[in-house]
């Protein structure tokens, strides 16, 4: 008999389950966080712009996810209503050395990070005598180390408290199943603590499914994925060259392997928002031989959060829905309405790529490329779906 194919183990994601995940902009003081927040949300802090998904409060906003699939579907269906996907972004107060022990806005800063699911980490790689660096000079690798250490030190504090609470309960002894489970959990928490004390973050280690079950309720700061935004001067961004970049890339490769790194210029992005129309901003980019990196920043964070999209289409509305990749059809139906998950019967589905290839829905249907799927179907990124559900019980 031929040998069985080796199936790679599926890594259970760290973090909260669900589709409404949030990202936070993090960094030391004066690295460009708030300016980035204003550019990405097209609003001024404390003075929200009057447009859909503008600032909810001074530190939180929802930004539209750029997606040419959504734009194409709107062109095809010309619906009365268009609802794109969005991503929630928080502007988090600047961190300082010693934040883990309460320095600066320490505790508030760290609790805000605890509330988000992934981090935009802004690293300053530009020299400007008028913008004071909180550490006295520009050294991005040192700044990265400060943030990594502060998050890890705070995590040690969280884990020590959890371990102390578990130890109080396991001291009672006994052989009940509950006690055995508690002792197993204590052993895992001890392993997590040792990992952090060894100077390692949680996110980049391999954990078993049982260990992930223990880690997730702790809401650890170093268990969150990061997208590193390397903030360059406008000149360096346009010429795609910067003296600090190689060292930053080397640090991320060693300390945060696999993390996305995006060189950008926050000052350039902010300047583009000052143009009255998008056409004028595009003309400026064309003149300089560059483009805005913000669409890539938003899309990259969405991928980092393991989020995808499905679409519902028609003459009344084209809508892009957000869901965690790997979500099954009933749970995807529940994104639209909770009752649809409970009363799910089946779904009619075809992918955007099929529609784009065939040109229109009638051709897709005529060629038999529309599928009927049941409860075990995993909704794919780009699926166009019609859910069928029964009547909800009163």
């Amino acid at each position: 008999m031929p040998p069985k194919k080796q199936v790679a183990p599926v890594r259970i994601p760290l973090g909260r389950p669900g589709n409404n995940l949030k990202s936070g902009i993090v960094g030391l003081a004066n690295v460009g966080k708030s300016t980035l927040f204003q550019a990405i949300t097209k609003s001024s802090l404390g003075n929200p712009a009057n447009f859909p998904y503008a600032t909810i409060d001074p530190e939180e906003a929802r930004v539209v996810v750029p997606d040419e699939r959504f734009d194409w579907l709107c062109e095809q269906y010309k619906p009365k209503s268009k609802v794109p996907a969005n991503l929630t972004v928080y502007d988090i107060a600047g961190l300082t050395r010693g934040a883990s022990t309460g320095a600066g806005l320490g505790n508030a800063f760290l609790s805000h990070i605890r509330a988000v699911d992934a981090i935009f980490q802004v690293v300053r790689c530009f020299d400007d005598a008028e913008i004071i660096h909180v550490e006295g000079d520009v050294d991005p690798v040192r700044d990265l180390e400060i943030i990594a250490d502060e998050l890890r030190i705070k995590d040690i504090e969280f884990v020590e408290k959890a371990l102390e609470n578990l130890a109080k309960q396991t001291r009672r002894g006994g052989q009940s199943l509950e006690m055995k489970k508690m002792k197993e959990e204590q052993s895992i928490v001890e392993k997590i603590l040792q990992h952090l004390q060894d100077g390692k973050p949680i996110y980049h280690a391999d954990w078993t499914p049982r260990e992930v079950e223990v880690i997730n309720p702790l809401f650890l700061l170093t268990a969150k994925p990061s997208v590193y935004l390397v903030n360059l001067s406008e000149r360096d961004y346009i010429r795609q060259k910067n003296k600090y970049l190689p060292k930053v890339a080397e640090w991320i490769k060693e300390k945060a392997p696999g993390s996305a790194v995006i060189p950008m210029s926050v000052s350039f992005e902010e300047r583009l928002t000052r143009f009255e129309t998008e056409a004028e901003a595009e003309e400026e980019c064309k003149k300089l031989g560059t483009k805005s990196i913000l669409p890539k920043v938003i899309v990259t964070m969405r991928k980092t959060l393991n989020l995808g999209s499905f679409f519902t289409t028609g003459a009344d509305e084209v809508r892009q829905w957000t869901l965690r990749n790997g979500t099954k059809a009933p749970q995807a139906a529940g994104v639209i309405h909770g009752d649809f998950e409970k009363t799910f019967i089946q779904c009619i589905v075809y992918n955007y790529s099929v529609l784009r290839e065939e040109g229109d829905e009638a051709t897709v249907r005529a060629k038999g490329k529309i599928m009927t799927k049941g409860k075990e179907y995993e909704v794919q990124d780009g699926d166009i779906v019609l859910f069928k559900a029964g009547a909800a019980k009163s």
Side-chain angles (χ1 to χ4, degrees):
M1 286 181 70
K4 286 185 178 179
K5 286 184 180 178
Q6 291 284 326
V7 179
V10 178
R11 185 183 178 189
I12 294 180
L14 290 163
R16 293 185 305 139
N19 309 306
N20 300 315
L21 304 182
K22 302 167 184 177
S23 54
I25 302 174
V26 171
L28 298 183
N30 293 342
V31 296
K33 297 184 314 302
S34 293
T35 308
L36 169 64
F37 181 83
Q38 291 179 65
I40 208 167
T41 60
K42 296 181 173 63
S43 65
S44 301
L45 289 173
N47 183 25
N50 184 22
F51 79 107
Y53 308 110
T55 309
I56 298 164
D57 65 37
E59 292 87 29
E60 178 188 351
R62 285 194 294 266
V63 298
V64 171
V65 175
D67 195 323
E68 67 95 23
R69 300 174 301 179
F70 176 77
D71 298 336
W72 188 85
L73 288 169
C74 289
E75 277 294 310
Q76 286 291 107
Y77 287 92
K78 297 183 171 46
K80 294 171 190 169
S81 170
K82 304 173 185 177
V83 186
N86 61 74
L87 177 73
T88 303
V89 181
Y90 283 82
D91 179 39
I92 296 171
L95 177 144
T96 54
R97 193 192 290 271
S100 56
T101 55
L105 292 172
N107 291 327
F109 164 89
L110 294 163
S111 68
H112 290 156
I113 298 182
R114 216 173 181 198
V116 301
D117 301 284
I119 296 168
F120 282 121
Q121 195 165 145
V122 183
V123 188
R124 177 174 167 176
C125 287
F126 65 89
D127 296 304
D128 188 330
E130 290 183 14
I131 302 175
I132 298 164
H133 193 290
V134 70
E135 288 290 317
D137 61 345
V138 176
D139 182 345
V141 170
R142 176 205 58 212
D143 296 353
L144 286 164
E145 287 285 357
I146 289 171
I147 292 176
D149 285 346
E150 294 301 328
L151 300 187
R152 189 176 53 78
I153 291 165
K154 197 66 183 177
D155 275 355
I156 289 172
E157 184 186 313
F158 291 143
V159 175
E160 283 176 340
K161 281 182 183 173
L163 190 57
E164 190 181 318
N165 290 334
L166 278 167
K168 281 178 187 173
Q169 295 176 70
T170 56
R171 276 192 213 109
R172 298 198 310 263
Q175 295 299 316
S176 68
L177 285 173
E178 188 184 353
M179 183 56 69
K180 283 179 182 175
K181 190 178 176 184
M182 224 178 285
K183 285 180 178 176
E184 180 198 23
E185 190 172 331
Q186 183 178 346
S187 175
I188 292 170
V189 173
E190 285 168 354
K191 179 181 174 181
I192 295 164
L193 180 60
Q194 187 59 57
H195 184 84
L196 289 163
Q197 288 172 337
D198 289 343
K200 300 170 188 172
I202 297 298
Y203 185 75
H204 298 286
D206 289 320
W207 303 99
T208 67
R210 177 68 184 115
E211 287 167 347
V212 171
E213 282 178 16
V214 175
I215 290 167
N216 282 347
L218 296 171
F219 301 109
L220 299 177
L221 307 176
T222 65
K224 301 176 190 299
S226 288
V227 173
Y228 291 86
L229 304 179
V230 184
N231 189 9
L232 314 175
S233 66
E234 184 172 326
R235 178 174 173 268
D236 283 1
Y237 174 68
I238 290 166
R239 66 185 187 137
Q240 294 288 289
K241 198 173 180 182
N242 176 273
K243 63 183 179 182
Y244 299 112
L245 263 176
K247 287 182 179 178
V248 169
E250 190 180 316
W251 186 93
I252 292 168
K253 186 179 177 183
E254 182 189 343
K255 301 290 180 72
S259 296
V261 186
I262 303 177
M264 67 180 301
S265 170
V266 172
S267 62
F268 175 66
E269 298 294 346
E270 191 272 333
R271 188 164 72 80
L272 289 181
T273 65
R274 293 187 219 155
F275 287 96
E276 289 188 12
T277 65
E278 280 190 27
E280 288 176 331
E282 284 171 13
E283 185 59 36
E284 176 70 2
C285 288
K286 194 174 176 183
K287 187 172 78 178
L288 296 169
T290 189
K291 62 182 179 180
S292 169
I293 203 74
L294 292 184
K296 183 179 178 179
V297 167
I298 297 164
V299 169
T300 301
M301 175 52 79
R302 210 156 176 264
K303 285 180 181 172
T304 298
L305 286 164
N306 195 29
L307 296 174
S309 296
F310 70 91
F311 301 92
T312 50
T313 56
D316 285 335
E317 181 182 84
V318 168
R319 187 164 185 149
Q320 182 173 7
W321 303 86
T322 298
L323 81 167
R324 183 74 69 91
N325 291 322
T327 301
K328 292 188 176 178
Q331 288 71 46
V335 172
I336 298 175
H337 196 291
D339 284 345
F340 292 173
E341 180 177 350
K342 296 171 196 166
T343 61
F344 175 89
I345 297 171
Q346 62 184 24
C347 63
I348 313 300
V349 60
Y350 57 96
N351 199 270
Y352 161 83
S353 57
V354 174
L355 180 64
R356 189 71 190 257
E357 185 183 326
E358 300 300 344
D360 59 59
E361 191 178 325
T363 308
V364 174
R365 196 175 292 280
K367 290 191 174 182
K369 293 187 176 181
I370 293 180
M371 304 174 290
T372 300
K373 295 290 184 179
K375 291 182 178 180
E376 292 305 308
Y377 177 68
E378 285 187 5
V379 175
Q380 302 299 304
D381 183 41
D383 274 354
I384 298 165
V385 192
L386 171 65
F387 293 104
K388 292 192 173 182
K393 289 178 183 177
S394 56

